[in-house]
mmCIF file with all atom_site columns, all heavy atoms in Angstrom:
data_model
loop_
_atom_site.group_PDB
_atom_site.id
_atom_site.type_symbol
_atom_site.label_atom_id
_atom_site.label_alt_id
_atom_site.label_comp_id
_atom_site.label_asym_id
_atom_site.label_entity_id
_atom_site.label_seq_id
_atom_site.pdbx_PDB_ins_code
_atom_site.Cartn_x
_atom_site.Cartn_y
_atom_site.Cartn_z
_atom_site.occupancy
_atom_site.B_iso_or_equiv
_atom_site.pdbx_formal_charge
_atom_site.auth_seq_id
_atom_site.auth_comp_id
_atom_site.auth_asym_id
_atom_site.auth_atom_id
_atom_site.pdbx_PDB_model_num
ATOM 1   N N   . VAL R 1 1  ? 12.846  -10.839 -7.633  1.00 80.00 ? 286 VAL R N   1
ATOM 2   C CA  . VAL R 1 1  ? 11.742  -10.369 -6.822  1.00 80.00 ? 286 VAL R CA  1
ATOM 3   C C   . VAL R 1 1  ? 10.705  -9.684  -7.719  1.00 80.00 ? 286 VAL R C   1
ATOM 4   O O   . VAL R 1 1  ? 11.058  -8.826  -8.512  1.00 80.00 ? 286 VAL R O   1
ATOM 5   C CB  . VAL R 1 1  ? 12.198  -9.387  -5.734  1.00 80.00 ? 286 VAL R CB  1
ATOM 6   C CG1 . VAL R 1 1  ? 11.016  -8.816  -4.959  1.00 80.00 ? 286 VAL R CG1 1
ATOM 7   C CG2 . VAL R 1 1  ? 13.198  -10.031 -4.799  1.00 80.00 ? 286 VAL R CG2 1
ATOM 8   N N   . GLN R 1 2  ? 9.490   -10.138 -7.577  1.00 86.00 ? 287 GLN R N   1
ATOM 9   C CA  . GLN R 1 2  ? 8.382   -9.498  -8.300  1.00 86.00 ? 287 GLN R CA  1
ATOM 10  C C   . GLN R 1 2  ? 7.246   -9.231  -7.361  1.00 86.00 ? 287 GLN R C   1
ATOM 11  O O   . GLN R 1 2  ? 6.852   -10.091 -6.575  1.00 86.00 ? 287 GLN R O   1
ATOM 12  C CB  . GLN R 1 2  ? 7.919   -10.372 -9.462  1.00 86.00 ? 287 GLN R CB  1
ATOM 13  C CG  . GLN R 1 2  ? 8.887   -10.433 -10.636 1.00 86.00 ? 287 GLN R CG  1
ATOM 14  C CD  . GLN R 1 2  ? 8.296   -11.126 -11.845 1.00 86.00 ? 287 GLN R CD  1
ATOM 15  O OE1 . GLN R 1 2  ? 7.483   -12.048 -11.704 1.00 86.00 ? 287 GLN R OE1 1
ATOM 16  N NE2 . GLN R 1 2  ? 8.693   -10.679 -13.023 1.00 86.00 ? 287 GLN R NE2 1
ATOM 17  N N   . LEU R 1 3  ? 6.717   -8.030  -7.437  1.00 92.00 ? 288 LEU R N   1
ATOM 18  C CA  . LEU R 1 3  ? 5.566   -7.641  -6.681  1.00 92.00 ? 288 LEU R CA  1
ATOM 19  C C   . LEU R 1 3  ? 4.450   -7.253  -7.624  1.00 92.00 ? 288 LEU R C   1
ATOM 20  O O   . LEU R 1 3  ? 4.696   -6.687  -8.672  1.00 92.00 ? 288 LEU R O   1
ATOM 21  C CB  . LEU R 1 3  ? 5.863   -6.441  -5.764  1.00 92.00 ? 288 LEU R CB  1
ATOM 22  C CG  . LEU R 1 3  ? 6.961   -6.607  -4.722  1.00 92.00 ? 288 LEU R CG  1
ATOM 23  C CD1 . LEU R 1 3  ? 7.216   -5.286  -4.025  1.00 92.00 ? 288 LEU R CD1 1
ATOM 24  C CD2 . LEU R 1 3  ? 6.607   -7.702  -3.731  1.00 92.00 ? 288 LEU R CD2 1
ATOM 25  N N   . GLN R 1 4  ? 3.236   -7.549  -7.227  1.00 93.00 ? 289 GLN R N   1
ATOM 26  C CA  . GLN R 1 4  ? 2.091   -7.196  -8.046  1.00 93.00 ? 289 GLN R CA  1
ATOM 27  C C   . GLN R 1 4  ? 0.975   -6.654  -7.175  1.00 93.00 ? 289 GLN R C   1
ATOM 28  O O   . GLN R 1 4  ? 0.492   -7.374  -6.272  1.00 93.00 ? 289 GLN R O   1
ATOM 29  C CB  . GLN R 1 4  ? 1.576   -8.429  -8.835  1.00 93.00 ? 289 GLN R CB  1
ATOM 30  C CG  . GLN R 1 4  ? 0.371   -8.136  -9.694  1.00 93.00 ? 289 GLN R CG  1
ATOM 31  C CD  . GLN R 1 4  ? 0.651   -7.197  -10.826 1.00 93.00 ? 289 GLN R CD  1
ATOM 32  O OE1 . GLN R 1 4  ? 1.585   -7.372  -11.614 1.00 93.00 ? 289 GLN R OE1 1
ATOM 33  N NE2 . GLN R 1 4  ? -0.105  -6.097  -10.901 1.00 93.00 ? 289 GLN R NE2 1
ATOM 34  N N   . ALA R 1 5  ? 0.572   -5.440  -7.467  1.00 96.00 ? 290 ALA R N   1
ATOM 35  C CA  . ALA R 1 5  ? -0.569  -4.843  -6.760  1.00 96.00 ? 290 ALA R CA  1
ATOM 36  C C   . ALA R 1 5  ? -1.822  -5.106  -7.580  1.00 96.00 ? 290 ALA R C   1
ATOM 37  O O   . ALA R 1 5  ? -1.812  -5.014  -8.812  1.00 96.00 ? 290 ALA R O   1
ATOM 38  C CB  . ALA R 1 5  ? -0.327  -3.343  -6.562  1.00 96.00 ? 290 ALA R CB  1
ATOM 39  N N   . SER R 1 6  ? -2.909  -5.397  -6.880  1.00 97.00 ? 291 SER R N   1
ATOM 40  C CA  . SER R 1 6  ? -4.176  -5.641  -7.549  1.00 97.00 ? 291 SER R CA  1
ATOM 41  C C   . SER R 1 6  ? -5.320  -5.215  -6.634  1.00 97.00 ? 291 SER R C   1
ATOM 42  O O   . SER R 1 6  ? -5.092  -4.909  -5.468  1.00 97.00 ? 291 SER R O   1
ATOM 43  C CB  . SER R 1 6  ? -4.315  -7.106  -7.938  1.00 97.00 ? 291 SER R CB  1
ATOM 44  O OG  . SER R 1 6  ? -4.292  -7.933  -6.769  1.00 97.00 ? 291 SER R OG  1
ATOM 45  N N   . GLY R 1 7  ? -6.520  -5.221  -7.214  1.00 97.00 ? 292 GLY R N   1
ATOM 46  C CA  . GLY R 1 7  ? -7.673  -4.906  -6.402  1.00 97.00 ? 292 GLY R CA  1
ATOM 47  C C   . GLY R 1 7  ? -8.238  -3.511  -6.616  1.00 97.00 ? 292 GLY R C   1
ATOM 48  O O   . GLY R 1 7  ? -9.241  -3.151  -6.014  1.00 97.00 ? 292 GLY R O   1
ATOM 49  N N   . GLY R 1 8  ? -7.597  -2.733  -7.425  1.00 97.00 ? 293 GLY R N   1
ATOM 50  C CA  . GLY R 1 8  ? -8.099  -1.392  -7.724  1.00 97.00 ? 293 GLY R CA  1
ATOM 51  C C   . GLY R 1 8  ? -9.369  -1.436  -8.546  1.00 97.00 ? 293 GLY R C   1
ATOM 52  O O   . GLY R 1 8  ? -9.800  -2.475  -9.022  1.00 97.00 ? 293 GLY R O   1
ATOM 53  N N   . GLY R 1 9  ? -9.970  -0.281  -8.663  1.00 97.00 ? 294 GLY R N   1
ATOM 54  C CA  . GLY R 1 9  ? -11.194 -0.164  -9.424  1.00 97.00 ? 294 GLY R CA  1
ATOM 55  C C   . GLY R 1 9  ? -11.922 1.091   -9.072  1.00 97.00 ? 294 GLY R C   1
ATOM 56  O O   . GLY R 1 9  ? -11.309 2.050   -8.522  1.00 97.00 ? 294 GLY R O   1
ATOM 57  N N   . LEU R 1 10 ? -13.186 1.109   -9.318  1.00 97.00 ? 295 LEU R N   1
ATOM 58  C CA  . LEU R 1 10 ? -14.009 2.241   -9.017  1.00 97.00 ? 295 LEU R CA  1
ATOM 59  C C   . LEU R 1 10 ? -14.681 2.097   -7.660  1.00 97.00 ? 295 LEU R C   1
ATOM 60  O O   . LEU R 1 10 ? -15.348 1.084   -7.410  1.00 97.00 ? 295 LEU R O   1
ATOM 61  C CB  . LEU R 1 10 ? -15.090 2.448   -10.092 1.00 97.00 ? 295 LEU R CB  1
ATOM 62  C CG  . LEU R 1 10 ? -16.064 3.598   -9.884  1.00 97.00 ? 295 LEU R CG  1
ATOM 63  C CD1 . LEU R 1 10 ? -15.330 4.922   -9.913  1.00 97.00 ? 295 LEU R CD1 1
ATOM 64  C CD2 . LEU R 1 10 ? -17.156 3.565   -10.955 1.00 97.00 ? 295 LEU R CD2 1
ATOM 65  N N   . GLY R 1 11 ? -14.452 3.056   -6.784  1.00 96.00 ? 296 GLY R N   1
ATOM 66  C CA  . GLY R 1 11 ? -15.093 3.057   -5.506  1.00 96.00 ? 296 GLY R CA  1
ATOM 67  C C   . GLY R 1 11 ? -15.894 4.330   -5.300  1.00 96.00 ? 296 GLY R C   1
ATOM 68  O O   . GLY R 1 11 ? -15.564 5.362   -5.853  1.00 96.00 ? 296 GLY R O   1
ATOM 69  N N   . GLN R 1 12 ? -16.930 4.208   -4.505  1.00 97.00 ? 297 GLN R N   1
ATOM 70  C CA  . GLN R 1 12 ? -17.758 5.373   -4.242  1.00 97.00 ? 297 GLN R CA  1
ATOM 71  C C   . GLN R 1 12 ? -17.274 6.083   -3.020  1.00 97.00 ? 297 GLN R C   1
ATOM 72  O O   . GLN R 1 12 ? -16.731 5.456   -2.080  1.00 97.00 ? 297 GLN R O   1
ATOM 73  C CB  . GLN R 1 12 ? -19.193 4.949   -4.092  1.00 97.00 ? 297 GLN R CB  1
ATOM 74  C CG  . GLN R 1 12 ? -19.840 4.445   -5.352  1.00 97.00 ? 297 GLN R CG  1
ATOM 75  C CD  . GLN R 1 12 ? -21.362 4.321   -5.238  1.00 97.00 ? 297 GLN R CD  1
ATOM 76  O OE1 . GLN R 1 12 ? -21.891 4.269   -4.144  1.00 97.00 ? 297 GLN R OE1 1
ATOM 77  N NE2 . GLN R 1 12 ? -22.032 4.313   -6.353  1.00 97.00 ? 297 GLN R NE2 1
ATOM 78  N N   . PRO R 1 13 ? -17.461 7.375   -2.940  1.00 98.00 ? 298 PRO R N   1
ATOM 79  C CA  . PRO R 1 13 ? -17.142 8.091   -1.705  1.00 98.00 ? 298 PRO R CA  1
ATOM 80  C C   . PRO R 1 13 ? -17.849 7.458   -0.513  1.00 98.00 ? 298 PRO R C   1
ATOM 81  O O   . PRO R 1 13 ? -19.059 7.168   -0.575  1.00 98.00 ? 298 PRO R O   1
ATOM 82  C CB  . PRO R 1 13 ? -17.660 9.514   -1.968  1.00 98.00 ? 298 PRO R CB  1
ATOM 83  C CG  . PRO R 1 13 ? -17.612 9.652   -3.460  1.00 98.00 ? 298 PRO R CG  1
ATOM 84  C CD  . PRO R 1 13 ? -17.949 8.296   -3.997  1.00 98.00 ? 298 PRO R CD  1
ATOM 85  N N   . GLY R 1 14 ? -17.069 7.207   0.541   1.00 98.00 ? 299 GLY R N   1
ATOM 86  C CA  . GLY R 1 14 ? -17.598 6.560   1.685   1.00 98.00 ? 299 GLY R CA  1
ATOM 87  C C   . GLY R 1 14 ? -17.538 5.025   1.615   1.00 98.00 ? 299 GLY R C   1
ATOM 88  O O   . GLY R 1 14 ? -17.818 4.347   2.585   1.00 98.00 ? 299 GLY R O   1
ATOM 89  N N   . GLY R 1 15 ? -17.173 4.519   0.467   1.00 98.00 ? 300 GLY R N   1
ATOM 90  C CA  . GLY R 1 15 ? -17.114 3.086   0.257   1.00 98.00 ? 300 GLY R CA  1
ATOM 91  C C   . GLY R 1 15 ? -15.776 2.481   0.607   1.00 98.00 ? 300 GLY R C   1
ATOM 92  O O   . GLY R 1 15 ? -14.921 3.178   1.198   1.00 98.00 ? 300 GLY R O   1
ATOM 93  N N   . SER R 1 16 ? -15.586 1.255   0.212   1.00 98.00 ? 301 SER R N   1
ATOM 94  C CA  . SER R 1 16 ? -14.369 0.515   0.568   1.00 98.00 ? 301 SER R CA  1
ATOM 95  C C   . SER R 1 16 ? -13.808 -0.234  -0.622  1.00 98.00 ? 301 SER R C   1
ATOM 96  O O   . SER R 1 16 ? -14.553 -0.653  -1.515  1.00 98.00 ? 301 SER R O   1
ATOM 97  C CB  . SER R 1 16 ? -14.657 -0.487  1.694   1.00 98.00 ? 301 SER R CB  1
ATOM 98  O OG  . SER R 1 16 ? -15.144 0.141   2.859   1.00 98.00 ? 301 SER R OG  1
ATOM 99  N N   . LEU R 1 17 ? -12.519 -0.410  -0.596  1.00 98.00 ? 302 LEU R N   1
ATOM 100 C CA  . LEU R 1 17 ? -11.809 -1.276  -1.531  1.00 98.00 ? 302 LEU R CA  1
ATOM 101 C C   . LEU R 1 17 ? -10.676 -1.949  -0.761  1.00 98.00 ? 302 LEU R C   1
ATOM 102 O O   . LEU R 1 17 ? -10.166 -1.376  0.213   1.00 98.00 ? 302 LEU R O   1
ATOM 103 C CB  . LEU R 1 17 ? -11.220 -0.487  -2.705  1.00 98.00 ? 302 LEU R CB  1
ATOM 104 C CG  . LEU R 1 17 ? -12.161 0.022   -3.793  1.00 98.00 ? 302 LEU R CG  1
ATOM 105 C CD1 . LEU R 1 17 ? -11.393 0.923   -4.778  1.00 98.00 ? 302 LEU R CD1 1
ATOM 106 C CD2 . LEU R 1 17 ? -12.806 -1.147  -4.557  1.00 98.00 ? 302 LEU R CD2 1
#
Side-chain angles (χ1 to χ4, degrees):
V286 176
Q287 286 189 329
L288 300 175
Q289 179 65 54
S291 62
L295 178 63
Q297 292 193 340
S301 299
L302 286 173

